[in-house]
């Protein structure tokens, strides 16, 4: 199987800036290493290392933000075939950085591609979750729903994660956590990674989705395909 023409971007939404250790990065590395061994071009970003303003405009300096690195990060996302969002769990939810990332993605979602489809059509999304409390499926549910709503394609089993026992205790990268040896986590991380690759490869080989029935620009021009509008009966 050849995945060499694919590019993936992993965005870690930890609350920690570099070089502080991120347990979420530790699990993301498992997936990234698989992709690198498959000769996929991989880029890793820690969102907290950048000045990403809160808001929905493409560039929030237009609304008074002193600096906004989002336009540069958006170009990196658009250059990739696969987006993987990593987040720790805080109070059972994805991090505030993950929420901000999704909001900024949403702010660009009205743009269209060369077929008139919404801009993220043809791109594939997944997520990696870590924490010390329950919430992997809850966080993945919110992230993956948001990505598909914006136009990303979500393959089967597009999430993976690790959590420790309830209450204070070791985190994924700690020696006594057992995280790196966890069969369930390792299997799900592997399956997620390859499912992302398979879907991205299929979409790229076929030039994304056909525009028949899903082009916003065609809809705005009056095309309705086989939709029967009662007003015109």
């Amino acid at each position: 199987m050849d995945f060499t023409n694919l590019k993936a971007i992993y965005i870690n939404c930890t609350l920690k800036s570099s070089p502080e250790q991120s347990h979420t990065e530790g699990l993301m590395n498992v997936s990234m290493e698989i992709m690198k061994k498959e000769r996929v071009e991989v880029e890793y970003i820690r969102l907290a290392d950048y000045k990403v303003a809160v808001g929905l405009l493409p560039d929030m300096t237009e609304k008074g933000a002193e600096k906004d690195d989002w336009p540069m990060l958006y170009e990196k996302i658009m250059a990739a075939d696969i987006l993987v969002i990593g987040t720790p769990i805080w109070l059972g939810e994805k991090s505030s950085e993950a929420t901000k990332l999704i909001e900024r993605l949403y702010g660009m979602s009205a743009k269209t591609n060369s077929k008139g489809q919404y801009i993220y059509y043809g791109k594939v999304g997944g997520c990696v979750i870590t924490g010390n409390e329950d919430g992997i499926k809850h966080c993945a549910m919110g992230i993956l729903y948001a990505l598909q709503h914006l136009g990303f394609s979500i393959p089967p089993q597009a999430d993976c994660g690790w959590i420790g026992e309830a209450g204070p205790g070791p985190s994924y990268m700690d020696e006594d956590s057992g995280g790196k040896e966890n069969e369930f986590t390792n299997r799900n991380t592997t399956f997620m990674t390859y499912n992302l690759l398979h879907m991205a490869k299929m979409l790229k080989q076929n030039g994304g989705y056909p525009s028949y029935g899903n082009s916003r620009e065609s809809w705005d021009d009056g095309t309705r395909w086989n939709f029967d509008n009662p007003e015109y009966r």
Side-chain angles (χ1 to χ4, degrees):
M1 189 67 67
D2 185 6
F3 300 112
T4 54
N5 67 334
L6 296 178
K7 181 175 182 178
I9 185 167
Y10 285 70
I11 301 182
N12 184 359
C13 295
T14 175
L15 301 182
K16 304 170 184 174
S17 298
S18 298
E20 191 173 355
Q21 184 186 58
S22 164
H23 296 280
T24 303
E25 179 180 338
L27 184 53
M28 295 178 84
N29 276 332
V30 176
S31 177
M32 287 191 284
E33 283 303 312
I34 293 173
M35 289 208 181
K36 289 175 183 177
K37 289 176 182 177
E38 293 289 354
R39 295 182 294 170
V40 174
E41 183 180 349
V42 175
E43 183 167 7
Y44 170 79
I45 286 171
R46 191 182 288 205
L47 198 65
D49 290 342
Y50 295 85
K51 293 289 186 182
V52 178
V54 174
L56 294 175
L57 291 180
D59 186 346
M60 288 305 297
T61 60
E62 298 174 9
K63 279 288 187 178
E66 183 177 340
K67 185 178 181 182
D68 189 5
D69 287 330
W70 174 248
M72 176 267 293
L73 295 176
Y74 172 73
E75 291 302 320
K76 290 178 177 290
I77 292 168
M78 292 308 299
D81 305 292
I82 299 167
L83 169 64
V84 180
I85 297 175
T87 181
I89 302 168
W90 291 109
L91 297 174
E93 298 284 352
K94 61 185 177 293
S95 72
S96 56
E97 288 288 288
T99 297
K100 181 168 64 175
L101 172 60
I102 290 169
E103 288 171 346
R104 296 309 300 267
L105 288 168
Y106 179 63
M108 313 297 283
S109 63
K111 292 178 175 288
T112 54
N113 63 20
S114 60
K115 297 180 182 180
Q117 301 163 320
Y118 288 116
I119 195 66
Y120 301 122
Y121 272 43
K123 297 188 181 298
V124 178
C127 62
V128 175
I129 317 292
T130 65
N132 291 97
E133 53 192 291
D134 193 16
I136 292 176
K137 290 182 174 62
H138 176 74
C139 293
M141 175 179 66
I143 292 171
L144 297 179
Y145 168 78
L147 289 178
Q148 68 80 30
H149 184 76
L150 299 181
F152 285 85
S153 296
I154 310 299
Q157 298 174 318
D159 65 297
C160 64
W162 182 89
I163 50 173
E165 295 182 359
S171 295
Y172 177 77
M173 295 290 288
D174 295 335
E175 290 186 6
D176 56 345
S177 72
K180 295 179 182 179
E181 296 76 39
N182 187 282
E183 178 75 11
F184 183 83
T185 294
N186 289 334
R187 184 193 68 201
N188 285 359
T189 303
T190 301
F191 285 12
M192 177 201 74
T193 305
Y194 278 102
N195 286 341
L196 292 170
L197 290 172
H198 289 310
M199 177 162 278
K201 181 180 175 71
M202 287 188 288
L203 285 170
K204 194 157 192 172
Q205 284 179 333
N206 288 282
Y209 288 94
S211 60
Y212 184 80
N214 60 29
S215 170
R216 173 60 190 267
E217 291 183 7
S218 295
W219 179 274
D220 290 345
D221 288 340
T223 302
R224 292 298 182 266
W225 303 282
N226 278 314
F227 169 73
D228 291 326
N229 190 332
E231 295 180 10
Y232 299 104
R233 288 180 180 173

